[in-house]
Amino acid sequence: MELICYLHPGWRPLVRPASAQRSWMDDTPESFAYRCLPLSIANAHGWEVATPTALEAWWDGGSGVEAVKIQVEGQADPVTAPVSIFGQGVLTFHLAGLFRTPPGWNLWVGGPPNQPKDGLFALSGLVETDWSPFTFTMNWRFTRPHHRVRFEADEPIAFLFPVQRAALESFQPRFAPLDSAPELQAAFYGWSQSREAFHEEMVRNPPQKPADKWQKHYYRGVDASGCSHVDDHRTKVRAQPFAPDASGWTGAPAAVAPACPVRNSADPDSAE
């Protein structure tokens, strides 16, 4: 399957496979946050769009578009420079590309997972990119006034990944007692007992190696008995980079990018 980003002349989005690394996770003792495999997988489960220039923005608490103040460092490309067009304390980034997914697939668009910014949170959207000929924007909303928020050059400002449009509605959720699934119940109790015994052993004999301080059952894709139940368990996810377009653009910053306006997302025919 293909995920295509169509580029109008002058559009130079910085799109790349998302990284599993987070600075706050690096700073945890022995980088233990990376032991949470679901966290690391979510971090890298898509593509991120970066801002080409550093900027600072803040909100004075008002509801109008003038209430959001923006300072961009260096020469700002009008295609990618952040703007205030919605009011309500919202900072907007245009994504200079027309994304196209296979039939029946949408793009989830939001902020980089597990990468919060103090004073600002990313709004999420689901866009039908298998048919829409409209650009869309990435929006962040301030959480308190008079607090400056900074984005460094090359910092991710958007995160996207494909989801099947009909998948959610095809599921039939239900509750069931655990004892109605005897094998699952036995596996759960076995894990619970081994977990308790492991913690008791850690207290009695603290391990010297960081890797020995956790059981790694889920990380290895096995149950408490060491049995694997799936063939496609992932400890890493690697989204593919976008292939170059006809001009050779690969997502790297351009020395000079001619300005070409993106459809104003305040227009009713534009996906926000």
Side-chain angles (χ1 to χ4, degrees), residues 6-140:
Y6 287 101
L7 303 178
H8 191 283
W11 289 2
R12 293 292 184 265
L14 305 184
V15 189
R16 63 197 176 214
S19 170
Q21 289 187 288
R22 298 290 184 266
S23 59
W24 70 266
M25 295 174 70
D26 295 336
D27 293 339
T28 55
E30 300 171 350
S31 299
F32 74 84
Y34 291 104
R35 299 175 191 174
C36 180
L37 184 57
L39 199 71
S40 297
I41 292 290
N43 290 350
H45 199 266
W47 293 264
E48 57 190 22
V49 185
T51 173
T53 55
L55 64 109
E56 288 190 355
W58 64 98
W59 172 53
D60 69 12
S63 60
V65 296
E66 72 284 350
V68 174
K69 318 297 182 183
I70 305 167
Q71 287 183 347
V72 178
E73 296 183 3
Q75 185 176 1
D77 183 343
V79 176
T80 56
V83 292
S84 174
I85 55 177
F86 295 120
Q88 311 306 315
V90 173
L91 176 68
T92 296
F93 292 87
H94 288 292
L95 301 188
L98 280 171
F99 289 89
R100 196 46 108 236
T101 46
W105 287 80
N106 300 336
L107 274 186
W108 179 284
V109 184
N114 305 311
Q115 192 167 332
K117 292 195 78 70
D118 184 26
L120 195 68
F121 75 90
L123 303 180
S124 300
L126 200 61
V127 186
E128 293 184 358
T129 44
D130 57 344
W131 69 268
S132 173
F134 315 128
T135 58
F136 54 84
T137 61
M138 177 62 210
N139 299 286
W140 296 70

Side-chain angles (χ1 to χ4, degrees), residues 197-206:
F198 180 80
H199 285 163
E200 291 175 351
E201 180 63 22
M202 292 300 99
V203 173
R204 289 193 301 267
N205 299 298

